[in-house]
């Protein structure tokens, strides 16, 4: 069943009451979150006229504060946004229900492009990234989360982080004549799969690539999304390519690139708001602003309405590959502006 079905009007009507209930749920269970909303003068019985009216948390808050809506003894898994768990890493707490829900909804989202069958899978990473099962880095969590959707996993990199060309050739000889799944972070996919496939004449035409992780490291190679897709198609035959936008602070929710490329779409349980960084009002189509991500998934921590530190722009509403808003990410906010977003709330949860 598709999770890309709701028009923007349907999405607003369905999600707004759920998100308002979630706001009350977190307020009742997280002292820190309650203090933040109280400091903003938001009454517990406040009503919200639209999704854009809901109070947001800067994503940075999860780096500086422990925010959770479950007791300590119900924490099933703790995710961190970097390899270290000290200052500067977001900490996201999941109970068993939350962990199950995020896996299920991620699966429903990806099924849109993968179909219902688990496909043989090329992981553009090293198996070492998923060694510690209880506390993951963002990259490890991404790799392990995606591994659920494939079978016969083959890692493109060996234990020394070098391309294992023989392993890739063996995988393609065995599974390359039917659809197979490829997953990796954008820069690694380019460096360790595209360049290796191009140099060794590998045929990836039956692959379905899911990738994420920003384009910063590809700027010096003059590779943007259009060029990425073009070169993969021309040099390896790979045409089914889907970038996605997501973050560990809203685990399980991903905004997926449609088949025609260059636009990201919201699954039915999520939405996006692009805000003017001066007035915080919602921007019209075509005008860049700060990305806010909204999801009904986070129940174990107050991550349902988050202001990111990324710039984005709407390309349209209900007029793309799938219904709802579609948008693209333009890059990170300059550091000073990102700090300004957080300063709005900085004293609130102290």
């Amino acid at each position: 069943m598709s999770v890309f079905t709701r028009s923007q009007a349907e999405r607003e009507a369905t999600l707004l009451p759920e998100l308002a209930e979630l706001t009350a749920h977190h307020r009742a269970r997280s002292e820190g979150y309650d203090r933040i909303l109280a400091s903003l003068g938001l009454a517990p019985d406040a009503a919200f006229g639209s999704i854009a009216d809901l109070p947001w948390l800067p994503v940075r808050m999860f780096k500086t504060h422990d925010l959770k809506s479950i007791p300590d003894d119900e924490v099933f898994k703790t995710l961190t946004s970097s390899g270290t768990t000290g200052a500067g890493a977001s900490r996201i707490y999941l109970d068993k229900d939350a962990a199950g829900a995020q896996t299920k909804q991620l699966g429903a989202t990806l099924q849109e492009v993968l179909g219902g069958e688990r496909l043989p899978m090329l992981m553009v990473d090293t198996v070492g990234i998923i060694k510690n099962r209880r506390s993951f880095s963002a990259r490890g969590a991404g790799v392990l989360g995606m591994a659920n959707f494939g079978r016969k996993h083959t890692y493109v990199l060996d234990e020394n982080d070098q391309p294992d060309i023989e392993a890739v050739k063996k995988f393609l000889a065995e599974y390359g004549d039917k659809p197979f799944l490829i997953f990796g972070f954008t820069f690694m996919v380019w460096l360790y799969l595209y360049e290796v496939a191009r140099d060794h004449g590998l045929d990836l035409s039956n692959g379905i690539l899911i990738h994420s992780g920003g384009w910063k490291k590809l700027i010096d190679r003059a590779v943007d999304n259009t060029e990425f897709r073009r070169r993969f198609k021309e040099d390896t035959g790979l045409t089914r390519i889907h970038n996605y936008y997501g973050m560990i602070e809203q685990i399980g929710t991903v905004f997926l690139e449609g088949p025609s490329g260059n636009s990201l779409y919201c699954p039915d349980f999520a939405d996006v708001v692009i805000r003017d960084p001066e007035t915080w009002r919602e921007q019209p189509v075509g005008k860049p602003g700060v990305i806010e991500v909204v999801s009904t998934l986070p129940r174990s921590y107050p991550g349902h309405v988050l202001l990111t530190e990324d710039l984005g722009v709407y390309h349209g509403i209900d007029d793309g590959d799938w219904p709802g808003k579609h948008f693209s990410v333009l890059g990170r906010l300059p550091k000073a502006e990102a700090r300004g977003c957080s300063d709005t709330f900085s004293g609130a949860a102290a």
Side-chain angles (χ1 to χ4, degrees):
M1 212 168 92
S2 176
V3 293
F4 290 93
T5 64
R6 285 179 177 160
S7 69
Q8 196 53 38
E10 289 172 313
R11 189 181 307 265
E12 188 81 39
T14 309
L15 295 191
L16 181 59
E18 289 182 37
L19 291 159
E21 185 274 322
L22 260 181
T23 301
H25 165 89
H26 291 305
R27 193 162 192 174
R29 287 164 180 80
S30 168
E31 279 183 42
Y33 184 66
D34 180 48
R35 278 202 303 275
I36 292 166
L37 297 198
S39 74
L40 295 172
L42 203 67
D45 60 352
F48 307 105
S50 69
I51 288 172
D53 290 342
L54 292 158
W56 39 263
L57 286 186
V59 76
R60 184 176 285 241
M61 294 290 274
F62 291 93
K63 295 188 192 315
T64 54
H65 296 81
D66 261 350
L67 292 168
K68 58 179 179 289
S69 306
I70 50 174
D72 289 346
D73 62 3
E74 285 181 23
V75 174
F76 171 66
K77 193 179 279 187
T78 304
L79 304 175
T80 60
S81 62
S82 69
T84 58
T85 51
S90 290
R91 288 171 303 283
I92 302 302
Y93 299 96
L94 302 177
D95 58 12
K96 277 196 169 163
D97 286 349
Q102 60 97 355
T103 302
K104 183 182 168 203
Q105 293 298 67
L106 179 61
T109 304
L110 295 176
Q111 207 167 0
E112 189 72 30
V113 296
L114 297 179
E117 213 182 309
R118 284 171 69 193
L119 301 173
M121 186 169 189
L122 266 183
M123 309 285 277
V124 190
D125 216 309
T126 167
V127 72
I129 194 71
I130 57 167
K131 287 285 166 70
N132 180 359
R133 288 292 179 112
R134 183 146 173 87
S135 183
F136 292 119
S137 68
R139 189 173 132 202
V143 168
L144 196 76
M146 285 297 303
N148 291 321
F149 307 112
R151 60 186 176 86
K152 307 289 184 188
H153 304 89
T154 295
Y155 286 83
V156 172
L157 301 182
D158 64 21
E159 287 176 5
N160 301 313
D161 289 351
Q162 295 302 308
D164 189 341
I165 292 148
E166 290 314 308
V168 176
K169 284 182 174 173
K170 187 178 171 201
F171 176 91
L172 292 173
E174 204 165 338
Y175 304 112
D177 59 341
K178 291 194 178 118
F180 61 92
L181 172 57
I182 308 166
F183 172 73
F185 293 93
T186 305
F187 179 67
M188 295 176 72
V189 166
W190 184 260
L191 203 58
Y192 300 121
L193 184 66
Y194 166 72
E195 292 186 359
V196 167
R198 177 196 64 196
D199 294 348
H200 290 82
L202 303 181
D203 177 6
L204 303 177
S205 58
N206 283 316
I208 303 168
L209 169 61
I210 308 281
H211 71 104
S212 183
W215 298 90
K216 251 190 324 205
K217 290 181 177 173
L218 292 179
I219 288 169
D220 61 339
R221 292 167 186 259
V223 177
D224 60 9
N225 195 19
T226 305
E227 183 70 356
F228 184 94
R229 295 172 74 93
R230 184 184 72 79
R231 299 267 288 277
F232 256 112
K233 181 180 179 180
E234 286 182 9
D235 296 337
T236 74
L238 182 66
T239 58
R240 283 175 289 179
I241 297 174
H242 299 272
N243 188 16
Y244 73 85
Y245 177 63
M247 60 206 65
I248 207 158
E249 293 86 0
Q250 220 173 65
I251 189 82
T253 303
V254 296
F255 300 86
L256 193 62
E257 187 176 35
S260 53
N262 291 321
S263 255
L264 299 159
Y265 293 81
C266 309
D268 288 347
F269 54 89
D271 203 4
V272 64
V273 179
I274 308 286
R275 294 194 180 275
D276 183 318
E278 299 290 322
T279 65
W280 301 116
R281 290 198 186 94
E282 187 170 9
Q283 294 283 50
V285 170
K287 201 152 184 211
V290 186
I291 299 173
E292 172 187 303
V293 288
V294 180
S295 170
T296 58
L297 278 192
R299 287 195 77 83
S300 61
Y301 65 99
H304 56 308
V305 188
L306 298 178
L307 190 76
T308 73
E309 296 181 353
D310 295 317
L311 283 168
V313 63
Y314 296 137
H315 295 305
I317 301 172
D318 294 330
D319 59 358
D321 294 340
W322 300 321
K325 296 170 181 171
H326 56 107
F327 68 105
S328 64
V329 181
L330 303 174
R332 301 288 279 177
L333 276 170
K335 275 202 169 67
E337 285 186 45
R339 274 200 301 276
C341 297
S342 301
D343 289 347
T344 313
F345 289 90
S346 60

